[in-house]
């Protein structure tokens, strides 16, 4: 939020690109207009730890936290080891996502992963999803929030940005103590590919989101910098009017 307030943006960039070179270029293009950098490290085709450090350094240049959208879902002890491995997520990510499906101990497993390298990070639990037909029912959302409320490692929840009523219902349940970041937002597209759904970013913020996760609306735009600035403005104005 310090970064967000300094830059006047609630945009979390979903940097879904295939090479580290493209990632570094995009980060420098849009860095002034975004508040955090979300990655899917396992979609990067030319991954080496060395080249990944360039991505991390580029993010730090723009005062961005590294948010690896790993969507951990296994039992606690396996999630802990998956924080290491070839990508060594624990060594560079400040935030990760996790599903609640395997039980509440996944959160402690992830925290133990950071602990092994003397780092501390935060977990976003998926309380809702933006994709059509997902299985995250109301009861599942409630159990997810109960887990998050009981854990100092959980800093927030992923909500469904494509449906403002779902975001406001989530906000009511969560209260003000944790963050809600919402993917499934786009300024122009009504529908995404392969089951993705979109809503307007200002409506997601108006309904209670603290951050909007934007991917193709920015990296797929003809002018990513102008697009990032437009999302930043829409998100910040929506926050001010909320
Ligand atoms: O429910 C979800 C949760 C997430 S984290 N729906 C999502 O789309 N996401 C992520 O947000 C997804 O993994 C992708 O990186 C981003 C949305 O990308 P866009 O191109 O549709 O904006």
């Amino acid at each position: 939020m310090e970064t967000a307030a300094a830059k006047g943006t609630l945009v979390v960039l979903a940097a879904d690109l295939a090479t580290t070179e493209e990632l570094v270029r995009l980060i420098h293009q849009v860095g002034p207009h975004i508040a955090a950098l979300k990655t899917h490290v396992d979609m990067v085709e030319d991954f080496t730890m060395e080249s990944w450090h360039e991505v991390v350094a580029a993010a730090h240049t723009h005062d961005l936290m590294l948010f690896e959208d790993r969507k951990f879902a296994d039992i606690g002890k396996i999630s802990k080891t998956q924080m290491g491995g070839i990508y060594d997520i624990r060594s560079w990510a400040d935030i990760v996502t996790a599903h609640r499906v395997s039980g509440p101990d996944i959160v402690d497993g992830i925290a133990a992963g950071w602990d092994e390298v003397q780092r501390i990070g935060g977990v976003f639990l998926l309380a809702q999803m933006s994709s059509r037909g997902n299985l995250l029912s109301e009861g599942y959302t409630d159990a997810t929030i109960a887990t998050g409320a009981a854990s100092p490692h959980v800093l927030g929840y992923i909500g469904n940005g494509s449906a403002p009523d779902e975001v406001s219902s989530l906000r009511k349940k969560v209260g003000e103590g944790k963050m809600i970041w919402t993917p499934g937002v786009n300024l122009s597209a009504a529908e995404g590919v392969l089951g993705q759904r979109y809503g307007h970013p200002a409506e997601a913020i108006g309904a209670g989101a603290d951050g909007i996760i934007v991917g193709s609306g920015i990296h797929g735009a003809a002018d990513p910098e102008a697009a990032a600035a437009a999302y930043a403005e829409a998100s910040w104005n929506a926050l001010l009017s909320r």
Side-chain angles (χ1 to χ4, degrees), residues 14 16 38 40 69 71 97 126 128-131 158 183-185 196 198 213-217 219:
D16 298 332
K38 189 177 85 63
H40 281 299
D69 188 8
K71 296 188 179 75
T97 44
L126 285 108
Q128 297 174 339
M129 291 197 75
S130 64
S131 44
I158 299 297
V185 295
Q196 175 70 305
Y198 288 121
I213 296 174
V214 187
S216 36
H219 66 71

Side-chain angles (χ1 to χ4, degrees), residues 20-21 24 27-28 49-59 61:
T20 46
E21 193 190 329
V24 169
I27 292 164
H28 287 312
M49 210 52 197
E50 208 175 18
S51 63
W52 192 252
H53 280 145
E54 290 170 29
V55 174
V56 173
T61 309

Side-chain angles (χ1 to χ4, degrees), residues 184-223:
V185 295
N186 197 293
L187 279 168
S188 48
E191 207 179 313
V193 290
L194 296 173
Q196 175 70 305
R197 298 173 297 186
Y198 288 121
H200 196 282
E203 287 186 18
I205 299 291
D210 304 297
I212 48 165
I213 296 174
V214 187
S216 36
I218 292 175
H219 66 71
D223 182 346

Side-chain angles (χ1 to χ4, degrees), residues 123-128 141 144-150 154-159 170 174 178-183:
V123 177
F124 268 79
L125 291 175
L126 285 108
Q128 297 174 339
T141 300
T144 302
I145 294 167
T147 297
V154 173
L155 72 119
Y157 306 94
I158 299 297
L170 183 61
V174 168
K178 308 261 187 200
M179 302 193 90
I180 295 173
W181 287 4
T182 57

Side-chain angles (χ1 to χ4, degrees), residues 25 50 66 116 191 230:
R25 196 184 320 129
E50 208 175 18
L66 276 288
E116 283 190 322
E191 207 179 313

Side-chain angles (χ1 to χ4, degrees), residues 56-168:
V56 173
H60 289 163
T61 309
H62 295 280
D63 198 20
L64 302 170
M65 280 193 163
L66 276 288
F67 175 21
E68 169 58 21
D69 188 8
R70 172 63 179 70
K71 296 188 179 75
F72 290 98
D74 213 313
I75 61 172
K77 68 170 181 175
I78 297 302
S79 298
K80 177 185 165 191
T81 58
Q82 288 172 323
M83 283 286 280
I86 193 164
Y87 301 119
D88 205 26
I89 294 168
R90 62 191 178 176
S91 74
W92 51 267
D94 304 299
I95 306 169
V96 299
T97 44
H99 285 293
R100 164 66 176 77
V101 65
S102 62
D105 295 279
I106 189 167
V107 174
D108 290 339
I110 291 167
W114 269 311
D115 208 38
E116 283 190 322
V117 292
Q118 285 83 53
R119 295 185 75 241
I120 296 173
V123 177
F124 268 79
L125 291 175
L126 285 108
Q128 297 174 339
M129 291 197 75
S130 64
S131 44
R132 90 186 153 86
N134 71 72
L135 299 173
L136 281 65
S137 63
E138 196 84 22
Y140 181 93
T141 300
D142 294 349
T144 302
I145 294 167
T147 297
S151 174
H153 305 298
V154 173
L155 72 119
Y157 306 94
I158 299 297
N160 175 15
S162 75
D165 53 328
E166 286 186 32
V167 178
S168 56

